[in-house]
Amino acid sequence: MAEAAGSREQPAAGRAPPDAAHRAEEEPEPASPDAPAAAAGRRRERRSGVSAVGTAERFPGGSLGTAAAPDPDACLLEAAKATPRRSSIIKDPSNQKCGRKKTVSFSSMPSEKKISSASDCISFMQAGCELKKVRPNSRIYNRFFTLDPDLQALRWEPSKKDLEKAKLDISAIKEIRLGKNTETFRNNGLADQISEDCALSVIHGENYESLDLVANSADVANIWVSGLRYLVSRSKQPLDLMESSHNTPRFAWLKTVFEAADVDGNGIMLEDTSVELIKKLNPTLKESKIRLKFKEIQKSKEKLTTRVTKEEFCEAFSELCTRPEVYFLLVQISKNKEYLDANDLMLFLEAEQGVTHITEEMCLDIIRRYELSQEGRLKGFLAIDGFTQYLLSPECDIFDPEHKKIVQDMTQPLSHYYINASHNTYLIEDQLRGPADINGYVRALKMSCRSIELDVCDGPDNEPIICNRNNMTSPLAFRNVIEVINKLAFFASEYPLILCLGNHCSVQQQKVVVQHMKRIFGNKLYTEAPLSSEVYLPSPEKLKMKIIVKGKKLPCDQDILEGEVTDEDEEAEISRRLSEDFSREPKLIWLCRELSDLVSLCKSVQYKDFETSMKAQNYWEMCSFSEAEASRIANEYPEDFVNYNKKFLSRVYPSAMRIDSSNLNPQDFWNCGCQIVAMNYQTPGPMMDLHTGWFLQNGGCGYVLRPSVMRDEVSYFSANTKGIVPGVSPQVLHVKIISGQNFPKPKGACAKGDVIDPYVCIEIHGIPADCTEQRTKTVQQNSDNPIFDESFEFQINLPELAMIRFVVLDDDYIGDEFIGQYTIPLECLQPGYRHIPLRSFVGDIMEHVTLFVHIAITNRSGGGKAQKRSLSVRIGKKAREYTMLRNTGLKTIDDIFKLAVHPLREATDMRENMQNAMVSVKELCGLPPIASLKQCILTLSSRLVSSDNAPSVTLCMKDAFPYLEPLGTMPDVQKKVLAAYDLMIQESRVLIEMADITHDKIVQCQKAGMEFHEELHNLGTKEGLKGRKLSKAIESFAWNITVLKGQGDLLKNAKNEALENMKQIQLACLSCGLSKTGSGHADAKSKRCLEAIQEKDAGDENGRL
């Protein structure tokens, strides 16, 4: 079969003919379909420059070693026998993908040498390695690729061509792309089996043909991409390509560091001094590792001395302290330099990190704070070590700093929030034998817990006590406990604190309890009687700095000093469950009027059923549910549970059988809107990780606002939904696990010494339809800087309830051992390249232990946060799904909803058309869907600006929209890109200009429908509906209102996104020089148009949308 050097990069409408120079080549051996797997495929007779861990090969120059490598097929077969790790989450089976078996990763990098400079990449490429060549006809071929010694051409073999034809000149290369970003990859039948991180494409020739390749691992792909980009960018100065790394800014800085420590000025220093100096520069390095590196260097030079020269010091530091994945990133964003200037950093922050309103001065300030060399700080550049420090700094943390402040509306009713809650707060051990401990309250309150529990009993000397009534050996004086509570109540949050009072006292000591609480809490105690004219609880804002008592209350209409009430005693439930008399009714206890009067907004009542509660329960009354009861209700009546929790508080406490103080899964009950899910703070583990991570958002104040679909009076939501939530735009979370840093040995592990084999598990928690789990490969015997380089995608149907948990484990066939974890709400993720600070099993941050990741969030159907770059997968018009309205069976109402069908379709079409047009532009630019439009313009500008910096197109503002007009003739490839760009602008324009009209139609239908809300029962009776049919009609009505409100909001967000896109495109065009040169009038006009877009954007914020 004939092979071309590449397929022409163009839309799928037609396939370009192969390059004439390559037509005669026959391909005798296509690779197997699983060719892209990291260590699969047959070994070729000629050795590759890629080696497995444990080989003694070194690659700069010289011949390759011949040491035997491990048999990858045998290792993979052995690894496949491993049992997958048990999941720590409950998942919807229909949402699970085929489980990944444990696999072993063979590092493609020789352990003795890291890539730390462009010359390292060049040397590797000259030594050569096997790559897989991908053809448009779904065939894949193994080929051995090398770079010519004179750096002028790329060659491959075997080939039936002569040597002068089986090559690609470096001068012909236009672009080098990482990932599956060409038509060949997109249309290849085996593309799904090819790892995104191992794919690369070399775009060459005037027609932008592509040579599409797959490396055996992501780091090898990065070497070829970085090396080729470096060669292309330096093609006019070939003599400087192999410039020694001694002339880099980093080496100049290291020389000054060495010379400052070399007090004798002899150019050498003791090994001990060198070790101390490197440890001072990089405290995370182990002394033994530094000494070993010096010994390796000295052995390679056949030296016996323990003294270190300047060159040896620089070489050791570079090899020990260079993280290859950071080096590749720096080279990519610096346009193939080995440092970043202020402009490079600005583009990186805007286009990749999602930072807005960045200025050159802000970038220079970052450089001054993180660059290690004085020269770099003065000249304004950031070298590899300063860039690494910046990426590790809090400024690049994965957690959005905005969420470290109060960012949610705190004026909603109390029932609209999730509330951080503790169970049996006084316990620090198990439920049966654990003693009461004051530190339980200290810990909970310092962690922003807003609902704590006090079980009060009669104590000696008429002083009430708090104790575990199963273990009376260490009671706490009630007075002392509430003094601590008073001191710390608002230490971590100023929002209301709920005291769940378990009253087991005599009437006499109840009065003492009241006296202590009034005296110690004073005016913090909230005792105002609820207003019957209100229908919802007050807001957290209104209840700031207030302590609310939850408990039993005597009837207000009875003038009695004391009376009997039912006892809600969780310990009694344990006793009943353990005894034969399980069906015994709850006992009655006496309650005095004074203690009853302290209870205002949180009166405890017993739950019977939702019908009774919705008719008879007052808004200030709340029910407590055992875990088993709440689970049953959540499974049988999920919609009713959500509707109930819109108005009333619900408290869920762990099962009485959890005597070991284990924790329930709080997500199961948050999904139903339950506000107070009580957790055993003393028991760490996955469930407590979820709880702690969830309440990090909203400033860690202990209150998190529920999604609007779970708050609106008329809305439909079921936690058991299997697909898209009505009115909510699903998002796609893209996670690339790049590397880990300084992983500790698991606690308690002893079998493997200091060696660990880490892998990363990514868990998604949320509604059942979103819950899933995926894992990376295992990296063998590397705890310092294991490279994973694996990408994952997760569809999230209800982003506001989703959390992501990163777990690092040590792969062990007996049982995988925990290394660290980090749990974060999806809403708090920052996009771009981020370091994740891992936490220990008990939740403490581990110093210097991090995961390096890339995060992007894109939308499937428009909308989304601008800074998180909303762009979607491509959805063809034929396959387009419209959110359907339901038939209520009430003719008057159905006639109103029918009027919304066309506007809803229009809204969906406008959003999808804009998204599809944007994806087309990105594909033609050779960029993935997660790329930003600014990155598109940057890529386009490199094609559209000639060698003398004259642009072949110019920015032309028409009615405040940024069109690109060609200046003279253009190649067909560029015409297609510009045509796709014009279509994107046109679709954005249609959306911006038509959104208001369509939105108004949707809102009018919503308002017209809501006018019948109070009359639903009467209309149903007239239509002859009753019982289940009437309930179904009301449910369908709520569904339709939710769809109308949600789709209207999505259209509003899409318009705002389109306006922001137009602004960003114009700014990017101006900064890339795509405006008319020498025309002050044109620049002034562009600025006026930009101001017009900003004014239009601001006007829409204040207008109907």
Side-chain angles (χ1 to χ4, degrees):
M1 179 175 289
E3 173 195 5
S7 58
R8 183 165 298 165
E9 174 63 358
Q10 63 178 12
R15 183 170 292 155
D19 190 310
H22 303 144
R23 281 178 186 157
E25 182 178 359
E26 294 295 323
E27 299 292 359
E29 304 178 44
S32 65
D34 23 314
R42 292 174 296 139
R43 309 295 292 176
R44 307 188 65 83
E45 288 183 4
R46 177 169 180 174
R47 283 197 56 78
S48 165
V50 182
S51 63
V53 169
T55 65
E57 298 170 338
R58 293 174 61 87
F59 52 73
S63 61
L64 297 172
T66 57
D71 180 0
D73 291 331
C75 292
L76 284 170
L77 185 62
E78 186 67 29
K81 297 176 182 177
T83 304
R85 188 176 74 88
R86 288 193 303 273
S87 171
S88 61
I89 56 177
I90 302 169
K91 299 185 287 290
D92 176 8
S94 64
N95 193 40
Q96 298 313 299
K97 299 180 181 177
C98 295
R100 291 182 61 168
K101 295 180 180 178
K102 289 185 178 180
T103 56
V104 178
S105 163
F106 295 98
S107 168
S108 55
M109 304 289 297
S111 59
E112 293 87 353
K113 179 72 178 178
K114 285 184 180 178
I115 294 293
S116 59
S117 67
S119 61
D120 290 341
C121 295
I122 302 299
S123 298
F124 182 93
M125 293 159 63
Q126 287 178 315
C129 76
E130 188 177 88
L131 300 174
K132 292 170 178 64
K133 193 175 178 186
V134 182
R135 294 293 311 282
N137 55 14
S138 297
R139 311 265 300 184
I140 299 177
Y141 303 90
N142 291 319
R143 294 291 175 264
F144 194 89
F145 281 77
T146 55
L147 176 66
D148 273 358
D150 62 1
L151 314 178
Q152 298 302 305
L154 192 63
R155 297 182 185 272
W156 58 90
E157 58 180 67
S159 171
K160 290 191 174 181
K161 297 179 182 179
D162 61 53
L163 292 177
E164 289 306 307
K165 290 186 177 179
K167 72 170 187 176
L168 179 62
D169 290 335
I170 299 298
S171 59
I173 297 176
K174 300 289 186 182
E175 298 173 13
I176 301 94
R177 300 174 184 172
L178 185 60
K180 298 183 289 187
N181 295 313
T182 64
E183 284 296 322
T184 299
F185 277 124
R186 283 192 285 268
N187 296 331
N188 191 289
L190 300 175
D192 289 343
Q193 301 175 43
I194 297 172
S195 167
E196 180 79 25
D197 307 302
C198 297
L200 65 143
S201 299
V202 182
I203 312 301
H204 60 93
E206 292 304 318
N207 291 321
Y208 280 70
E209 296 167 83
S210 65
L211 172 61
D212 299 289
L213 307 170
V214 181
N216 283 341
S217 68
D219 47 8
V220 172
N222 276 317
I223 290 172
W224 282 95
V225 169
S226 300
L228 288 172
R229 283 176 176 170
Y230 187 85
L231 289 172
V232 170
S233 68
R234 300 292 197 278
S235 58
K236 294 182 180 179
Q237 33 186 321
L239 294 178
D240 296 333
L241 280 172
M242 291 303 292
E243 198 177 59
S244 169
S245 60
H246 292 188
N247 294 331
T248 63
R250 180 194 222 177
F251 188 80
W253 165 65
L254 287 173
K255 278 200 304 184
T256 61
V257 171
F258 184 91
E259 289 164 359
D262 179 19
V263 290
D264 297 330
N266 297 325
I268 58 173
M269 66 171 64
L270 291 172
E271 183 181 297
D272 290 346
T273 309
S274 299
V275 170
E276 289 176 14
L277 190 53
I278 289 180
K279 268 197 71 66
K280 183 179 178 183
L281 294 173
N282 189 342
T284 65
L285 286 175
K286 298 173 184 173
E287 182 178 329
S288 59
K289 189 172 182 180
I290 303 173
R291 291 190 184 279
L292 182 62
K293 178 55 65 179
F294 279 127
K295 283 183 173 58
E296 287 177 7
I297 292 171
Q298 289 161 0
K299 184 178 179 181
S300 70
K301 297 180 180 180
E302 298 182 350
K303 285 177 57 178
L304 299 176
T305 178
T306 57
R307 294 184 179 271
V308 176
T309 66
K310 187 186 303 180
E311 289 72 20
E312 291 167 347
F313 172 81
C314 294
E315 183 181 352
F317 181 89
S318 295
E319 291 195 22
L320 288 167
C321 300
T322 303
R323 287 172 46 189
E325 73 279 20
V326 176
Y327 172 76
F328 293 137
L329 176 60
L330 180 138
V331 171
Q332 174 189 333
I333 62 181
S334 67
K335 302 180 185 67
N336 311 299
K337 304 188 297 290
E338 297 201 354
Y339 60 87
L340 300 175
D341 58 30
N343 286 332
D344 296 328
L345 187 57
M346 187 185 304
L347 289 174
F348 172 67
L349 294 175
E350 287 179 338
E352 196 60 68
Q353 303 294 87
V355 180
T356 55
H357 311 300
I358 194 77
T359 65
E360 184 177 359
E361 183 52 42
M362 291 165 69
C363 293
L364 289 171
D365 178 63
I366 290 173
I367 291 171
R368 286 190 289 267
R369 287 187 286 119
Y370 292 102
E371 172 55 30
L372 300 179
S373 71
Q374 184 176 2
E375 180 189 11
R377 292 193 294 270
L378 291 174
K379 293 183 177 179
F381 65 75
L382 196 62
I384 178 68
D385 301 293
F387 184 52
T388 303
Q389 292 297 316
Y390 172 65
L391 289 175
L392 282 165
S393 73
E395 293 183 55
C396 289
D397 191 85
I398 194 170
F399 193 91
D400 188 344
E402 282 298 304
H403 283 273
K404 293 182 179 179
K405 303 177 288 188
I406 306 295
V407 293
Q408 295 175 350
D409 178 9
M410 299 304 288
T411 62
Q412 300 270 333
L414 206 62
S415 59
H416 287 183
Y417 298 84
Y418 297 112
I419 302 173
N420 190 340
S422 162
H423 176 245
N424 286 354
T425 315
Y426 51 85
L427 290 182
I428 59 170
E429 294 179 21
D430 65 60
Q431 302 294 306
L432 285 181
R433 296 177 300 278
D437 194 309
I438 195 73
N439 288 314
Y441 291 99
V442 174
R443 174 181 54 200
L445 291 171
K446 285 188 174 180
M447 291 175 68
S448 300
C449 185
R450 296 291 84 195
S451 173
I452 59 177
E453 299 183 9
L454 302 93
D455 282 329
V456 192
C457 304
D458 282 353
D461 303 323
N462 201 34
E463 278 294 335
I465 59 171
I466 288 178
C467 64
N468 181 352
R469 291 190 300 139
N470 296 301
N471 180 0
M472 304 286 285
T473 56
S474 58
L476 303 172
F478 176 76
R479 180 181 65 246
N480 294 343
V481 170
I482 63 170
E483 282 176 347
V484 169
I485 292 172
N486 184 59
K487 181 179 179 182
L488 297 175
F490 305 106
F491 172 84
S493 172
E494 59 186 356
Y495 291 101
L497 174 67
I498 299 172
L499 302 186
C500 299
L501 198 63
N503 172 30
H504 313 293
C505 293
S506 62
V507 170
Q508 182 182 1
Q509 292 210 12
Q510 287 177 33
K511 294 179 179 179
V512 178
V513 167
V514 174
Q515 291 169 7
H516 286 324
M517 292 177 77
K518 284 185 174 181
R519 178 178 59 82
I520 294 171
F521 293 147
N523 60 7
K524 293 177 187 174
L525 208 55
Y526 187 89
T527 57
E528 295 178 24
L531 300 174
S532 57
S533 58
E534 298 288 338
V535 292
Y536 283 101
L537 288 164
S539 68
E541 185 67 31
K542 188 174 180 180
L543 295 170
K544 263 185 181 180
M545 307 299 287
K546 292 297 181 183
I547 294 175
I548 301 167
V549 178
K550 169 199 168 289
K552 286 292 183 177
K553 194 169 178 65
L554 294 174
C556 297
D557 55 355
Q558 296 181 19
D559 187 17
I560 54 175
L561 296 178
E562 55 189 54
E564 284 188 318
V565 293
T566 56
D567 180 19
E568 292 183 356
D569 184 353
E570 292 172 26
E571 287 80 10
E573 184 187 348
I574 296 178
S575 301
R576 290 199 303 274
R577 282 181 175 271
L578 296 177
S579 69
E580 295 180 2
D581 188 18
F582 179 69
S583 60
R584 187 178 61 185
E585 290 294 319
K587 65 180 180 181
L588 297 175
I589 60 169
W590 283 91
L591 179 66
C592 71
R593 173 61 67 182
E594 292 89 340
L595 186 55
S596 171
D597 288 346
L598 290 186
V599 177
S600 171
L601 296 178
C602 292
K603 175 187 174 183
S604 294
V605 296
Q606 283 192 315
Y607 168 80
K608 183 179 179 184
D609 56 57
F610 286 129
E611 185 178 357
T612 304
S613 295
M614 298 304 280
K615 288 179 181 177
Q617 188 171 332
N618 295 306
Y619 71 84
W620 62 82
E621 296 173 336
M622 64 178 287
C623 296
S624 290
F625 301 86
S626 69
E627 179 185 349
E629 185 180 22
S631 295
R632 179 186 62 79
I633 296 170
N635 287 325
E636 294 178 7
Y637 311 106
E639 300 94 339
D640 292 336
F641 213 170
V642 170
N643 286 330
Y644 172 83
N645 286 321
K646 291 175 183 177
K647 185 174 181 180
F648 307 109
L649 288 177
S650 291
R651 171 178 167 267
V652 179
Y653 56 87
S655 166
M657 303 311 291
R658 293 185 183 274
I659 56 177
D660 60 348
S661 293
S662 59
N663 275 307
L664 47 72
N665 186 345
Q667 191 83 51
D668 293 342
F669 307 106
W670 291 337
N671 289 345
C672 294
C674 297
Q675 301 87 351
I676 303 174
V677 182
M679 303 292 288
N680 290 311
Y681 269 57
Q682 71 270 34
T683 308
M687 300 304 105
M688 198 62 202
D689 293 341
L690 292 181
H691 180 270
T692 303
W694 182 249
F695 286 103
L696 288 175
Q697 61 185 312
N698 201 28
C701 72
Y703 284 83
V704 172
L705 189 65
R706 296 210 310 264
S708 61
V709 73
M710 301 173 74
R711 303 192 315 262
D712 293 341
E713 183 180 359
V714 180
S715 63
Y716 175 87
F717 175 74
S718 170
N720 294 337
T721 181
K722 297 295 181 184
I724 294 175
V725 178
V728 177
S729 174
Q731 295 184 334
V732 179
L733 171 65
H734 307 260
V735 180
K736 182 175 183 180
I737 305 293
I738 303 172
S739 64
Q741 291 74 48
N742 310 305
F743 290 163
K745 178 182 170 185
K747 288 192 175 179
C750 56
K752 294 186 291 187
D754 290 330
V755 175
I756 64 169
D757 304 326
Y759 70 93
V760 182
C761 198
I762 307 161
E763 302 171 353
I764 304 296
H765 298 259
I767 60 174
D770 291 341
C771 290
T772 187
E773 176 180 303
Q774 293 195 47
R775 55 155 291 174
T776 67
K777 66 196 174 192
T778 296
V779 175
Q780 290 263 302
Q781 302 183 11
N782 191 336
S783 61
D784 297 328
N785 189 215
I787 304 293
F788 300 100
D789 262 327
E790 285 193 73
S791 299
F792 305 91
E793 286 187 6
F794 305 93
Q795 179 167 318
I796 312 294
N797 293 290
L798 186 54
E800 289 176 275
L801 271 187
M803 276 191 289
I804 179 169
R805 183 171 182 257
F806 300 90
V807 192
V808 182
L809 297 150
D810 184 13
D811 199 341
D812 189 269
Y813 291 112
I814 298 173
D816 297 340
E817 294 171 309
F818 178 89
I819 293 173
Q821 69 83 31
Y822 187 81
T823 307
I824 180 173
L826 187 77
E827 294 284 298
C828 298
L829 286 174
Q830 287 208 95
Y833 291 92
R834 304 289 171 183
H835 278 92
I836 300 174
L838 293 181
R839 294 179 179 267
S840 68
F841 186 73
V842 296
D844 298 328
I845 291 286
M846 295 186 286
E847 191 175 17
H848 304 308
V849 182
T850 55
L851 261 184
F852 187 41
V853 302
H854 182 270
I855 300 290
I857 298 176
T858 62
N859 289 347
R860 290 198 62 231
S861 318
K865 295 184 177 180
Q867 74 270 23
K868 293 187 179 176
R869 303 195 305 281
S870 55
L871 231 274
S872 64
V873 300
R874 207 167 186 176
I875 302 175
K877 202 162 189 176
K878 290 182 181 177
R880 187 165 296 170
E881 293 182 5
Y882 298 95
T883 306
M884 303 301 292
L885 296 175
R886 293 179 177 177
N887 194 333
T888 65
L890 305 173
K891 186 177 184 307
T892 308
I893 294 176
D894 286 337
D895 287 344
I896 292 172
F897 287 140
K898 283 177 184 176
L899 298 175
V901 171
H902 185 65
L904 285 175
R905 292 180 71 91
E906 280 185 340
T908 301
D909 285 342
M910 285 190 289
R911 289 188 290 107
E912 298 284 4
N913 290 345
M914 182 184 75
Q915 297 296 322
N916 289 344
M918 292 169 74
V919 171
S920 293
V921 171
K922 293 183 181 189
E923 288 180 350
L924 290 171
C925 289
L927 295 172
I930 63 173
S932 67
L933 284 178
K934 185 149 194 172
Q935 288 169 315
C936 283
I937 299 301
L938 292 174
T939 302
L940 269 179
S941 67
S942 65
R943 298 184 188 179
L944 300 175
V945 176
S946 62
S947 55
D948 57 354
N949 289 327
S952 56
V953 299
T954 183
L955 175 67
C956 180
M957 300 301 297
K958 297 178 182 176
D959 302 322
F961 289 93
Y963 289 89
L964 292 176
E965 288 190 351
L967 300 174
T969 58
M970 300 185 69
D972 288 345
V973 173
Q974 308 297 26
K975 287 180 182 177
K976 288 171 183 171
V977 177
L978 283 184
Y981 175 88
D982 285 344
L983 179 61
M984 177 184 71
I985 299 298
Q986 191 58 36
E987 295 293 357
S988 300
R989 180 171 187 166
V990 169
L991 190 148
I992 290 170
E993 293 177 346
M994 297 299 296
D996 285 349
I997 298 169
T998 306
H999 182 267
D1000 283 349
K1001 293 177 183 176
I1002 294 172
V1003 170
Q1004 285 168 10
C1005 291
Q1006 180 190 348
K1007 288 180 178 178
M1010 282 299 293
E1011 290 179 3
F1012 291 92
H1013 175 230
E1014 302 294 335
E1015 301 296 322
L1016 283 177
H1017 283 85
N1018 294 336
L1019 287 172
T1021 303
K1022 289 180 182 178
E1023 297 280 353
L1025 301 180
K1026 57 184 178 180
R1028 183 60 193 152
K1029 287 187 177 180
L1030 180 58
S1031 298
K1032 193 68 179 175
I1034 294 171
E1035 181 183 294
S1036 297
F1037 177 85
W1039 169 281
N1040 291 347
I1041 294 295
T1042 304
V1043 168
L1044 292 171
K1045 180 181 182 301
Q1047 293 298 313
D1049 289 343
L1050 291 178
L1051 183 59
K1052 173 178 66 177
N1053 293 337
K1055 177 184 175 180
N1056 291 336
E1057 178 190 353
L1059 285 166
E1060 179 65 23
N1061 287 340
M1062 296 303 100
K1063 188 164 57 177
Q1064 292 304 318
I1065 288 172
Q1066 186 186 356
L1067 287 171
C1069 288
L1070 291 172
S1071 65
C1072 292
L1074 296 182
S1075 58
K1076 290 179 181 176
T1077 56
S1079 173
H1081 174 72
D1083 288 343
K1085 183 179 179 182
S1086 292
K1087 288 180 181 177
R1088 286 198 301 273
C1089 290
L1090 181 60
E1091 290 167 1
I1093 293 176
Q1094 291 170 333
E1095 287 173 8
K1096 186 177 182 66
D1097 196 0
D1100 287 325
E1101 286 296 320
N1102 298 322
R1104 283 172 297 173
L1105 290 185

